Amino acid sequence: MVVGEPTGLGTILTERFGGEEDEIYRASAPGRVNLLGGHTDYNDGFVLPVAIDRRTGVAVRPQADSRDGNDPSDRTVRVHSTNVGETRTFSLDSPTSEESWADYVEGVARLLAEDASNPRGFDMVVGGDVPMGGGLSSSASLELAVATALNEVWDLGKPAAELADRCWRAEREFVGVECGIMDQFVVALGERNRALFLDCRTREYERYRTDDDVRVVVTNTNVGHELVDSAYNERVSQCREAVELLDESLSDDVASLRDVSVAEFEEAKGTLPGTVRKRCEHVVYENERVREAAAAMESGDVRRVGELMGETHRSLRDLYEVSCEELDFVVETAETLDAELGSRMTGAGFGGCVVSLVRADSVEPFAEAVRTAYVAETGIEPDVFPCAVAEGSRVEDRPSN
Ligand code: GLA
């Protein structure tokens, strides 16, 4: 059985919680990497991510109804994670206070239950091959897999963009990270061989074909630094501070950093204190890079996309200060290799993964060179793997009647 493969998860579900396989709903959702647009989403800006062929699967069986002698208003949820090897139980009626991986499931279930006429409890098994905490959005992947399944189980009829919105709210309200919409959106709406250019303010999007001769290669540094969430929320509030100051000093209204052009930033940057100025400079120029990258993708200029990724990395490293030595080492090593078109850290930062664009015929030697250099430098074994650009969340199977 492939880990996370929804059929295998169904068997685990019946073995663990009982019931029949033909009562099971199955859904899955991918991880993602971000080609351009780092820390722009919560500033109402632009992003250019792709969904990847690493997925989280869920199998769900609603609590048996009263025909089986069950209480029809039973709102108990039992959820087992094959990755964590743990089962958690909660009730849809009252939030649990304990923090755990199951918060993502509970947060999504609780928000979606508000829109269901009679949300019954359920048993669920989750599992997959998106590395947890590696910057590939394992959390949004889990959220969307759960939401896509519950959309069926509770017959909610919500389109993918609305599920993405609910999952985003769940992460902010329930898990407490002030994240932007990028991860949930691309995990829900990604398409095979297409990058998604998203305007995070209007949520309008455009898809651009990826280049068949170029592969997305992920290097997981296998380091994670502490306090990622608090450092992330600190960046969010520094951006808010920049917005308040620029709203005073610029003649146009500034509701978010999205509203600040490069020219306006250059004119007003003297009014910003040092750290806030650096954060703001990153966001303002990064939005420009994303737009330029989208245009380059449209015209098939993948070399330019790669160059912009390198600029993004340096800006995240020097101005936004969310990189770390291991990520920088991988990017610098990758940049010395002929097959590489561009590399950058992906996700929130402080560890996790680098994403590179690599010529398709040289993926193996590229991976081996990065691996060897990284082990020699750090003594840590990285995971270097090519990814296909994959489809977003989807229902895999539902009971036939
Ligand atoms: C995390 C967040 C996203 C985004 C990125 C940085 O992945 O979940 O919303 O802000 O960091 O670009």
Side-chain angles (χ1 to χ4, degrees):
M1 183 198 71
V2 181
V3 188
E5 194 255 310
T7 311
L9 296 176
T11 308
I12 298 173
L13 191 144
T14 51
E15 282 168 8
R16 195 163 275 278
F17 300 121
E20 303 295 328
E21 289 240 3
D22 62 8
E23 302 167 321
I24 293 176
Y25 296 75
R26 299 175 177 87
S28 74
R32 67 96 190 88
V33 291
N34 194 13
L35 301 181
L36 265 295
H39 290 266
T40 45
D41 58 353
Y42 53 81
N43 288 300
D44 277 349
F46 303 97
V47 289
L48 187 68
V50 297
I52 58 173
D53 58 346
R54 296 264 177 148
R55 300 186 81 85
T56 304
V58 307
V60 196
R61 190 176 65 103
Q63 297 288 7
D65 62 24
S66 48
R67 277 173 305 181
D68 305 305
N70 263 42
D71 174 0
S73 62
D74 189 347
R75 305 204 198 255
T76 305
V77 174
R78 295 184 292 183
V79 54
H80 177 79
S81 163
T82 58
N83 294 67
V84 187
E86 194 180 81
T87 303
R88 295 260 166 176
T89 302
F90 61 90
S91 164
L92 290 171
D93 294 326
S94 50
T96 44
S97 50
E98 231 174 289
E99 275 184 27
S100 86
W101 58 270
D103 288 353
Y104 297 102
V105 180
E106 186 176 345
V108 170
R110 202 168 283 294
L111 272 186
L112 288 181
E114 289 173 9
D115 295 330
S117 52
N118 178 24
R120 247 188 288 156
F122 53 85
D123 292 330
M124 176 181 270
V125 174
V126 307
D129 58 5
V130 186
M132 288 171 80
L136 300 182
S137 234
S138 57
S139 50
S141 174
L142 172 57
E143 288 158 6
L144 260 306
V146 170
T148 304
L150 292 180
N151 197 33
E152 293 293 307
V153 172
W154 291 338
D155 201 15
L156 302 173
K158 290 188 188 299
E162 203 177 323
L163 294 179
D165 180 77
R166 291 298 191 283
C167 291
W168 171 67
R169 276 179 48 200
E171 182 138 354
R172 292 169 67 94
E173 292 168 21
F174 209 81
V175 184
V177 181
E178 296 192 68
C179 64
I181 188 68
M182 169 176 73
D183 299 348
Q184 289 80 10
F185 209 90
V186 68
V187 165
L189 284 129
E191 261 184 21
R192 258 187 99 224
N193 299 332
R194 298 280 187 283
L196 188 101
F197 172 70
L198 172 68
D199 179 334
C200 297
R201 171 173 277 168
T202 63
R203 302 213 182 155
E204 283 166 347
Y205 59 92
E206 197 79 51
R207 294 189 177 100
Y208 294 108
R209 224 195 126 72
T210 50
D211 191 317
D212 291 340
D213 298 330
V214 172
R215 297 297 301 271
V216 171
V217 178
V218 169
T219 302
N220 190 345
T221 60
N222 287 326
V223 294
H225 295 279
E226 281 176 17
L227 304 174
V228 178
D229 289 356
S230 60
Y232 186 92
N233 286 345
E234 183 190 59
R235 299 298 181 285
V236 175
S237 58
Q238 287 164 338
C239 291
R240 274 199 205 112
E241 194 182 330
V243 166
E244 276 170 31
L245 293 167
L246 291 172
D247 192 39
E248 276 169 29
S249 60
L250 289 171
S251 49
D252 289 340
D253 281 352
V254 178
S256 68
L257 289 184
R258 152 67 176 278
D259 298 317
V260 182
S261 68
V262 165
E264 285 170 328
F265 168 75
E266 291 298 334
E267 173 200 323
K269 66 182 180 189
T271 61
L272 299 173
T275 303
V276 170
R277 182 169 65 229
K278 284 200 283 186
R279 308 296 188 246
C280 184
E281 181 173 344
H282 165 74
V283 174
V284 168
Y285 280 89
E286 181 73 353
N287 276 327
E288 284 302 301
R289 278 189 285 272
V290 186
R291 280 192 280 212
E292 195 187 334
M297 277 208 130
E298 194 169 21
S299 63
D301 187 357
V302 69
R303 186 179 284 278
R304 182 68 191 138
V305 178
E307 283 168 9
L308 290 163
M309 286 168 70
E311 287 176 25
T312 286
H313 184 77
R314 285 180 279 284
S315 182
L316 288 167
R317 182 190 66 195
D318 302 335
L319 297 174
Y320 222 66
E321 297 176 291
V322 289
S323 189
C324 65
E325 280 175 15
E326 295 85 353
L327 289 167
D328 293 341
F329 181 80
V330 171
V331 170
E332 281 155 27
T333 303
E335 284 177 340
T336 65
L337 302 169
D338 286 345
E340 189 255 16
L341 294 157
S343 297
R344 55 159 292 198
M345 51 153 277
T346 186
F350 309 104
C353 293
V354 167
V355 53
S356 303
L357 294 183
V358 179
R359 298 212 178 278
D361 57 7
S362 308
V363 166
E364 281 304 314
F366 171 87
E368 196 41 41
V370 170
R371 200 195 72 79
T372 309
Y374 186 75
V375 172
E377 174 76 10
T378 63
I380 302 165
E381 190 70 42
D383 292 306
V384 191
F385 52 92
C387 294
V389 174
E391 185 189 341
S393 51
R394 60 180 183 232
V395 177
E396 301 281 353
D397 194 12
R398 54 173 80 75
S400 45
N401 50 17

